Amino acid sequence: MEPCVCASGGSPCRCPTSFPAPTATGASFNSTLFKLIGEYDGIEARAINNLRNHITQNAYGDGLDYWSPTLNMQRDPRWGRNQEVPGEDPTLTSDYAANFVQGLQGLEAARGGASSVTIAACCKHFLANSLENWHEFSRHNFDALVPVRDLVDYYLPSFKSCVMEGKAKGVMCSYNA
């Protein structure tokens, strides 16, 4: 069986739903929408995973862990990954994180009432990651020296929400960690 992404012909697969980028979704300030998008992402990801031949199609990143959501803060409009995050506000990003992860992993799993998850969420990139290339620095060699107050008030709330409220199964560190 061919990879189950936008297959055509006699394949049982269809293209997964394309939702607005998290920046556009975040602009709705709609917690229910965040959760529903996560839920449908999780259902479709599980369905695609179930249709794959994991012996012949075991590519890097294949499986039941989803490298989402991206929770970095939009501090600089020049950062090349702003479209991947819900916004620059820690309260909005925290709400997005908790609801999206609950939906992605399955609502019962998020409440602790189910023994399995739809897809395992991985909140990323922990922590203070918003630099790709700038002068002589890249994400590989930049040391983000962040004051404690900024960490507590601005950078940490979304990850706390993702893990504590969303019950995410994983956290991906950033290159500057």
Side-chain angles (χ1 to χ4, degrees):
M1 179 183 298
E2 292 298 314
C4 193
V5 179
C6 295
S8 60
S11 173
C13 302
R14 298 294 176 259
C15 291
T17 305
S18 180
F19 292 103
T23 297
T25 304
S28 73
F29 294 90
N30 186 330
S31 301
T32 303
L33 179 63
F34 305 158
K35 193 173 289 184
L36 286 170
I37 288 175
E39 184 176 358
Y40 283 94
D41 268 355
I43 290 167
E44 290 183 2
R46 172 60 83 139
I48 289 169
N49 180 76
N50 290 348
L51 289 169
R52 285 195 167 174
N53 179 332
H54 294 279
I55 294 171
T56 61
Q57 295 175 323
N58 192 16
Y60 183 73
D62 186 24
L64 296 175
D65 60 327
Y66 220 51
W67 297 347
S68 186
T70 301
L71 300 176
N72 307 116
M73 305 305 288
Q74 287 184 355
R75 291 201 46 112
D76 186 337
R78 297 169 295 176
W79 181 47
R81 300 180 76 171
N82 278 331
Q83 74 280 5
E84 295 179 38
V85 300
E88 63 185 355
D89 179 68
T91 302
L92 168 66
T93 305
S94 297
D95 183 47
Y96 177 86
N99 284 290
F100 181 83
V101 168
Q102 287 174 14
L104 187 68
Q105 294 189 154
L107 296 175
E108 289 304 313
R111 293 186 195 111
S115 60
S116 64
V117 298
T118 307
I119 290 290
C122 181
C123 306
K124 61 180 190 170
H125 304 93
F126 188 81
L127 186 66
N129 179 61
S130 59
L131 177 95
E132 295 297 319
N133 292 299
W134 183 71
H135 294 285
E136 71 275 7
F137 297 107
S138 75
R139 63 183 177 170
H140 302 287
N141 66 1
F142 178 70
D143 186 9
L145 302 174
V146 181
V148 173
R149 183 174 180 163
D150 289 345
L151 283 173
V152 172
D153 291 345
Y154 191 71
Y155 290 103
L156 286 171
S158 60
F159 286 94
K160 180 179 179 183
S161 179
C162 193
V163 172
M164 301 298 290
E165 295 173 49
K167 309 277 191 255
K169 300 299 179 192
V171 175
M172 181 188 295
C173 70
S174 61
Y175 287 98
N176 64 6

